[in-house]
Amino acid sequence: MTRATLLTITTPTGEPLEGDPGYVVADFDAPQVRITDLAVTRGDGVFETVAVINGHPQALEPHLARLAHSAELLDLPVPALDVWREAVRAGVADFLTRNGDAGAELYAKLVYTRGVEGAAFPSGWLFVDLGEDFTQARLGIRVVSLDRGVRHDVAETSPWLLAGAKTLSYAVNRAAQREAVRRGFDDVLFVSSDGYALEGPTSNVVTLTDGVVRTPNTDQGILAGTTQAAVFDFFTARGLRTEFAPLTIEEVRAADAIWLVSSVRQAAPVTHLDDRAYPVDADLTADLNAYLLARTE
Protein backbone atom coordinates (compact mmCIF):
# COMPACT_ATOMS: atom_id res chain seq x y z
CA MET A 1 0.00 0.00 0.00
CA THR A 2 1.02 3.60 -0.52
CA ARG A 3 1.34 6.18 2.19
CA ALA A 4 -1.62 7.62 4.07
CA THR A 5 -3.94 10.22 2.63
CA LEU A 6 -3.64 13.64 4.27
CA LEU A 7 -6.19 16.42 4.06
CA THR A 8 -5.66 19.92 5.38
CA ILE A 9 -8.88 21.49 6.65
CA THR A 10 -8.78 25.00 5.22
CA THR A 11 -12.04 26.00 6.90
CA PRO A 12 -12.05 24.24 10.30
CA THR A 13 -14.77 26.63 11.55
CA GLY A 14 -17.54 28.40 9.66
CA GLU A 15 -18.81 27.80 6.14
CA PRO A 16 -16.34 27.80 3.24
CA LEU A 17 -16.77 30.11 0.27
CA GLU A 18 -18.95 28.93 -2.57
CA GLY A 19 -17.13 26.32 -4.62
CA ASP A 20 -14.58 25.69 -1.87
CA PRO A 21 -15.10 22.37 -0.04
CA GLY A 22 -13.15 23.65 2.97
CA TYR A 23 -10.35 21.10 2.66
CA VAL A 24 -7.58 20.11 0.27
CA VAL A 25 -5.83 16.79 -0.30
CA ALA A 26 -2.23 17.47 0.69
CA ASP A 27 1.11 15.81 0.06
CA PHE A 28 1.65 13.43 2.97
CA ASP A 29 5.43 13.72 2.67
CA ALA A 30 5.52 17.53 2.47
CA PRO A 31 5.73 19.81 5.54
CA GLN A 32 2.22 20.76 6.66
CA VAL A 33 2.20 21.89 10.30
CA ARG A 34 3.94 25.03 11.60
CA ILE A 35 6.34 24.31 14.44
CA THR A 36 4.60 27.08 16.43
CA ASP A 37 1.21 25.40 16.14
CA LEU A 38 -0.08 24.97 19.67
CA ALA A 39 -0.69 21.29 18.93
CA VAL A 40 3.08 20.92 18.71
CA THR A 41 4.21 23.27 21.46
CA ARG A 42 1.41 22.73 24.00
CA GLY A 43 -0.68 19.73 22.95
CA ASP A 44 -3.51 22.28 22.85
CA GLY A 45 -6.14 20.63 20.72
CA VAL A 46 -8.51 17.71 20.34
CA PHE A 47 -8.77 14.69 18.09
CA GLU A 48 -10.92 11.74 17.06
CA THR A 49 -10.02 8.39 15.54
CA VAL A 50 -12.67 6.81 13.32
CA ALA A 51 -12.53 3.18 12.20
CA VAL A 52 -13.08 2.72 8.46
CA ILE A 53 -14.38 -0.76 7.61
CA ASN A 54 -15.16 -1.80 4.03
CA GLY A 55 -14.73 1.82 3.03
CA HIS A 56 -17.29 3.03 5.57
CA PRO A 57 -16.36 5.42 8.41
CA GLN A 58 -17.97 3.86 11.47
CA ALA A 59 -20.01 5.95 13.92
CA LEU A 60 -18.96 9.09 12.08
CA GLU A 61 -21.74 11.24 13.51
CA PRO A 62 -21.03 10.30 17.15
CA HIS A 63 -17.32 10.94 16.54
CA LEU A 64 -18.06 14.37 15.07
CA ALA A 65 -20.35 15.17 17.99
CA ARG A 66 -17.60 14.15 20.40
CA LEU A 67 -15.09 16.30 18.51
CA ALA A 68 -17.40 19.27 18.98
CA HIS A 69 -17.91 18.43 22.67
CA SER A 70 -14.16 18.20 23.27
CA ALA A 71 -13.68 21.52 21.45
CA GLU A 72 -16.30 23.11 23.70
CA LEU A 73 -14.52 21.87 26.83
CA LEU A 74 -11.30 23.48 25.55
CA ASP A 75 -13.07 26.75 24.62
CA LEU A 76 -12.18 26.18 20.97
CA PRO A 77 -14.42 27.63 18.23
CA VAL A 78 -17.23 25.32 17.14
CA PRO A 79 -15.85 23.10 14.36
CA ALA A 80 -17.58 23.17 10.98
CA LEU A 81 -18.81 19.59 11.15
CA ASP A 82 -20.14 19.59 7.58
CA VAL A 83 -16.62 20.32 6.35
CA TRP A 84 -15.04 17.68 8.59
CA ARG A 85 -17.65 15.10 7.57
CA GLU A 86 -17.05 15.56 3.85
CA ALA A 87 -13.29 15.66 4.39
CA VAL A 88 -13.38 12.25 6.07
CA ARG A 89 -15.32 10.79 3.16
CA ALA A 90 -12.99 12.41 0.64
CA GLY A 91 -9.93 11.10 2.49
CA VAL A 92 -11.28 7.55 2.55
CA ALA A 93 -12.18 7.71 -1.14
CA ASP A 94 -8.71 9.01 -2.04
CA PHE A 95 -6.95 6.33 -0.01
CA LEU A 96 -9.02 3.55 -1.58
CA THR A 97 -8.53 4.95 -5.08
CA ARG A 98 -4.78 4.85 -4.65
CA ASN A 99 -4.60 1.55 -2.77
CA GLY A 100 -7.57 -0.41 -4.03
CA ASP A 101 -8.26 -2.62 -0.99
CA ALA A 102 -11.77 -1.70 0.14
CA GLY A 103 -11.79 -4.62 2.58
CA ALA A 104 -8.84 -3.40 4.64
CA GLU A 105 -9.37 -2.07 8.15
CA LEU A 106 -8.46 1.62 7.97
CA TYR A 107 -8.81 4.57 10.29
CA ALA A 108 -9.26 8.30 9.91
CA LYS A 109 -7.63 10.57 12.48
CA LEU A 110 -9.07 14.07 12.86
CA VAL A 111 -6.97 16.75 14.57
CA TYR A 112 -8.32 20.18 15.56
CA THR A 113 -6.01 22.63 17.36
CA ARG A 114 -5.94 26.17 18.69
CA GLY A 115 -3.65 26.98 15.76
CA VAL A 116 -0.39 28.85 15.39
CA GLU A 117 0.47 30.78 18.54
CA GLY A 118 -0.65 34.38 18.19
CA ALA A 119 -2.67 33.80 15.01
CA ALA A 120 -6.04 33.43 16.80
CA PHE A 121 -7.25 30.97 14.15
CA PRO A 122 -7.63 27.21 14.59
CA SER A 123 -5.80 24.57 12.59
CA GLY A 124 -7.27 21.32 11.33
CA TRP A 125 -6.20 18.27 9.39
CA LEU A 126 -6.99 14.60 9.06
CA PHE A 127 -5.36 11.56 7.58
CA VAL A 128 -6.51 8.10 6.56
CA ASP A 129 -4.22 5.12 6.94
CA LEU A 130 -4.10 1.37 7.34
CA GLY A 131 -4.91 0.19 10.86
CA GLU A 132 -2.91 -2.21 12.97
CA ASP A 133 -3.55 -5.94 12.97
CA PHE A 134 -5.60 -6.46 16.14
CA THR A 135 -6.27 -10.17 15.58
CA GLN A 136 -4.41 -11.24 18.71
CA ALA A 137 -5.87 -8.48 20.91
CA ARG A 138 -9.39 -9.55 19.91
CA LEU A 139 -8.58 -12.99 21.32
CA GLY A 140 -7.50 -11.65 24.71
CA ILE A 141 -5.36 -9.10 26.54
CA ARG A 142 -3.75 -8.84 29.97
CA VAL A 143 -4.70 -5.65 31.82
CA VAL A 144 -3.17 -3.95 34.85
CA SER A 145 -5.04 -1.43 37.01
CA LEU A 146 -3.17 1.83 37.60
CA ASP A 147 -4.03 4.77 39.84
CA ARG A 148 -5.01 7.81 37.78
CA GLY A 149 -4.33 10.08 40.74
CA VAL A 150 -7.70 11.88 40.75
CA ARG A 151 -11.05 11.26 42.42
CA HIS A 152 -13.88 9.76 40.38
CA ASP A 153 -15.80 13.08 40.56
CA VAL A 154 -12.93 15.16 39.14
CA ALA A 155 -15.02 16.33 36.17
CA GLU A 156 -17.35 18.09 38.61
CA THR A 157 -14.81 19.30 41.15
CA SER A 158 -12.04 20.34 38.73
CA PRO A 159 -13.40 20.89 35.19
CA TRP A 160 -10.18 22.67 34.16
CA LEU A 161 -8.46 19.28 34.18
CA LEU A 162 -10.51 18.49 31.04
CA ALA A 163 -11.53 15.01 32.13
CA GLY A 164 -13.86 13.66 29.46
CA ALA A 165 -12.26 15.65 26.61
CA LYS A 166 -10.27 13.82 23.94
CA THR A 167 -7.27 16.13 23.94
CA LEU A 168 -3.93 15.85 22.17
CA SER A 169 -2.18 15.75 25.57
CA TYR A 170 -1.62 11.99 25.57
CA ALA A 171 1.76 11.78 27.29
CA VAL A 172 0.22 10.33 30.48
CA ASN A 173 -1.77 7.74 28.54
CA ARG A 174 1.35 6.66 26.66
CA ALA A 175 3.36 6.50 29.89
CA ALA A 176 0.69 4.29 31.45
CA GLN A 177 0.80 1.91 28.50
CA ARG A 178 4.59 1.67 28.74
CA GLU A 179 4.25 0.92 32.45
CA ALA A 180 1.82 -1.88 31.63
CA VAL A 181 4.36 -3.44 29.28
CA ARG A 182 7.09 -3.11 31.91
CA ARG A 183 4.86 -5.09 34.27
CA GLY A 184 4.15 -7.80 31.68
CA PHE A 185 0.68 -6.62 30.64
CA ASP A 186 -0.85 -5.40 27.39
CA ASP A 187 -3.06 -2.54 28.51
CA VAL A 188 -4.30 -0.46 31.43
CA LEU A 189 -7.49 0.16 33.37
CA PHE A 190 -7.29 3.49 35.18
CA VAL A 191 -8.66 3.61 38.72
CA SER A 192 -9.59 6.76 40.62
CA SER A 193 -7.81 7.64 43.85
CA ASP A 194 -11.00 6.73 45.73
CA GLY A 195 -11.26 3.27 44.19
CA TYR A 196 -13.56 3.57 41.16
CA ALA A 197 -12.83 2.00 37.78
CA LEU A 198 -12.62 4.63 35.06
CA GLU A 199 -11.38 3.77 31.54
CA GLY A 200 -8.34 2.63 29.62
CA PRO A 201 -5.86 5.03 28.01
CA THR A 202 -7.63 4.48 24.67
CA SER A 203 -10.69 2.44 25.61
CA ASN A 204 -13.80 2.02 27.71
CA VAL A 205 -14.28 -0.91 30.07
CA VAL A 206 -17.39 -3.10 29.81
CA THR A 207 -18.25 -5.82 32.32
CA LEU A 208 -20.68 -8.73 32.35
CA THR A 209 -21.88 -9.79 35.80
CA ASP A 210 -24.84 -12.10 36.46
CA GLY A 211 -26.31 -11.35 33.04
CA VAL A 212 -26.02 -7.54 33.36
CA VAL A 213 -23.65 -5.54 31.14
CA ARG A 214 -22.22 -2.40 32.73
CA THR A 215 -19.81 0.42 32.04
CA PRO A 216 -18.76 3.28 34.35
CA ASN A 217 -20.80 6.50 34.33
CA THR A 218 -19.42 9.06 31.91
CA ASP A 219 -19.92 11.86 34.46
CA GLN A 220 -16.81 10.52 36.19
CA GLY A 221 -14.55 12.29 33.71
CA ILE A 222 -14.74 9.36 31.29
CA LEU A 223 -14.79 9.84 27.55
CA ALA A 224 -18.17 8.72 26.20
CA GLY A 225 -17.37 5.73 24.00
CA THR A 226 -18.79 5.37 20.49
CA THR A 227 -17.87 1.68 20.43
CA GLN A 228 -19.18 1.18 23.95
CA ALA A 229 -22.60 2.42 22.76
CA ALA A 230 -22.58 -0.17 19.98
CA VAL A 231 -21.54 -2.88 22.46
CA PHE A 232 -24.60 -2.05 24.54
CA ASP A 233 -26.76 -2.35 21.41
CA PHE A 234 -25.30 -5.80 20.75
CA PHE A 235 -26.04 -7.09 24.24
CA THR A 236 -29.49 -5.47 24.37
CA ALA A 237 -30.41 -7.31 21.18
CA ARG A 238 -29.43 -10.52 22.96
CA GLY A 239 -31.82 -9.80 25.80
CA LEU A 240 -29.30 -8.66 28.40
CA ARG A 241 -29.77 -5.59 30.56
CA THR A 242 -27.25 -2.81 30.04
CA GLU A 243 -26.55 0.07 32.36
CA PHE A 244 -24.17 2.86 33.29
CA ALA A 245 -23.11 2.63 36.92
CA PRO A 246 -20.36 3.76 39.27
CA LEU A 247 -18.16 0.66 39.41
CA THR A 248 -15.50 0.16 42.03
CA ILE A 249 -12.39 -1.66 40.95
CA GLU A 250 -13.45 -4.52 43.20
CA GLU A 251 -16.78 -4.77 41.36
CA VAL A 252 -14.93 -4.95 38.06
CA ARG A 253 -12.60 -7.62 39.41
CA ALA A 254 -15.69 -9.64 40.50
CA ALA A 255 -17.17 -9.60 36.97
CA ASP A 256 -17.78 -12.78 35.00
CA ALA A 257 -16.24 -11.22 31.89
CA ILE A 258 -14.50 -7.95 30.99
CA TRP A 259 -13.76 -6.22 27.69
CA LEU A 260 -11.84 -3.10 26.78
CA VAL A 261 -13.57 -1.58 23.76
CA SER A 262 -12.37 1.13 21.38
CA SER A 263 -12.98 2.46 17.90
CA VAL A 264 -10.22 0.76 15.94
CA ARG A 265 -9.30 -2.27 18.06
CA GLN A 266 -13.02 -2.94 18.70
CA ALA A 267 -13.61 -5.41 21.59
CA ALA A 268 -10.64 -6.96 23.37
CA PRO A 269 -11.59 -9.55 26.01
CA VAL A 270 -9.61 -9.39 29.24
CA THR A 271 -7.86 -12.63 30.14
CA HIS A 272 -6.21 -11.18 33.25
CA LEU A 273 -6.89 -8.12 35.39
CA ASP A 274 -3.92 -7.72 37.69
CA ASP A 275 -3.39 -11.17 39.24
CA ARG A 276 -6.86 -12.57 38.47
CA ALA A 277 -7.55 -14.71 35.39
CA TYR A 278 -10.84 -14.64 33.46
CA PRO A 279 -12.23 -17.20 31.03
CA VAL A 280 -12.96 -15.81 27.59
CA ASP A 281 -16.13 -16.77 25.76
CA ALA A 282 -14.49 -16.91 22.36
CA ASP A 283 -17.73 -17.39 20.43
CA LEU A 284 -19.45 -14.48 22.18
CA THR A 285 -16.49 -12.19 21.63
CA ALA A 286 -16.20 -13.24 17.98
CA ASP A 287 -19.91 -12.46 17.50
CA LEU A 288 -19.45 -9.12 19.25
CA ASN A 289 -16.53 -8.13 17.04
CA ALA A 290 -18.35 -9.31 13.92
CA TYR A 291 -21.24 -7.05 14.91
CA LEU A 292 -18.94 -4.10 15.58
CA LEU A 293 -17.05 -4.53 12.31
CA ALA A 294 -20.30 -4.80 10.32
CA ARG A 295 -21.69 -1.46 11.51
CA THR A 296 -22.80 1.01 8.89
CA GLU A 297 -23.90 3.72 11.36
Side-chain angles (χ1 to χ4, degrees):
M1 287 197 171
T2 61
R3 296 296 299 275
T5 288
L6 172 69
L7 285 85
T8 299
I9 310 300
T10 56
T11 312
T13 61
E15 294 299 322
L17 298 174
E18 185 175 355
D20 177 5
Y23 58 85
V24 294
V25 179
D27 182 351
F28 190 84
D29 292 314
Q32 300 292 338
V33 179
R34 294 281 296 274
I35 61 172
T36 51
D37 193 293
L38 288 163
V40 177
T41 61
R42 303 285 187 181
D44 192 359
V46 299
F47 77 100
E48 284 291 324
T49 305
V50 182
V52 180
I53 308 299
N54 296 320
H56 178 80
Q58 291 193 322
L60 181 55
E61 295 308 315
H63 278 290
L64 291 173
R66 198 167 67 178
L67 181 76
H69 177 65
S70 294
E72 181 182 11
L73 292 177
L74 268 69
D75 297 317
L76 287 167
V78 177
L81 297 187
D82 288 345
V83 172
W84 288 90
R85 180 184 299 108
E86 293 309 313
V88 170
R89 292 171 177 162
V92 171
D94 183 81
F95 185 96
L96 294 177
T97 296
R98 293 187 296 111
N99 292 283
D101 188 358
E105 291 189 27
L106 312 176
Y107 70 94
K109 187 166 185 177
L110 292 63
V111 180
Y112 178 46
T113 90
R114 206 170 302 277
V116 174
E117 193 160 6
F121 185 78
S123 300
W125 63 87
L126 67 88
F127 62 90
V128 178
D129 204 356
L130 185 66
E132 295 180 44
D133 182 358
F134 289 113
T135 302
Q136 189 58 46
R138 291 170 187 166
L139 296 177
I141 57 174
R142 298 170 59 90
V143 176
V144 62
S145 62
L146 295 179
D147 186 355
R148 200 173 199 174
V150 295
R151 288 174 48 89
H152 76 285
D153 56 357
V154 64
E156 297 179 5
T157 63
S158 308
W160 53 88
L161 294 180
L162 302 178
K166 196 171 180 67
T167 75
L168 293 171
S169 303
Y170 251 52
V172 170
N173 288 343
R174 291 299 191 184
Q177 290 173 319
R178 292 193 298 273
E179 180 64 22
V181 172
R182 277 193 288 268
R183 298 187 186 196
F185 292 85
D186 304 303
D187 210 336
V188 173
L189 175 59
F190 283 127
V191 181
S192 70
S193 58
D194 51 347
Y196 286 87
L198 299 173
E199 59 189 345
T202 62
S203 61
N204 294 99
V205 61
V206 174
T207 67
L208 173 61
T209 306
D210 296 330
V212 181
V213 180
R214 296 183 175 91
T215 197
N217 289 339
T218 56
D219 62 3
Q220 299 176 120
I222 294 171
L223 191 69
T226 59
T227 305
Q228 173 270 311
V231 169
F232 270 22
D233 290 342
F234 170 84
F235 282 112
T236 298
R238 291 193 164 216
L240 277 68
R241 191 170 90 238
T242 61
E243 62 182 34
F244 291 88
L247 297 176
T248 66
I249 186 59
E250 294 307 323
E251 288 173 316
V252 173
R253 289 192 179 113
D256 301 321
I258 307 169
W259 294 266
L260 293 187
V261 302
S262 53
S263 295
V264 181
R265 188 173 63 184
Q266 309 293 344
V270 175
T271 63
H272 294 78
L273 176 56
D274 298 326
D275 59 356
R276 177 168 177 174
Y278 296 83
V280 171
D281 187 328
D283 291 338
L284 176 62
T285 298
D287 288 348
L288 173 57
N289 275 315
Y291 173 85
L292 294 174
L293 290 167
R295 286 176 292 162
T296 58
E297 297 294 338

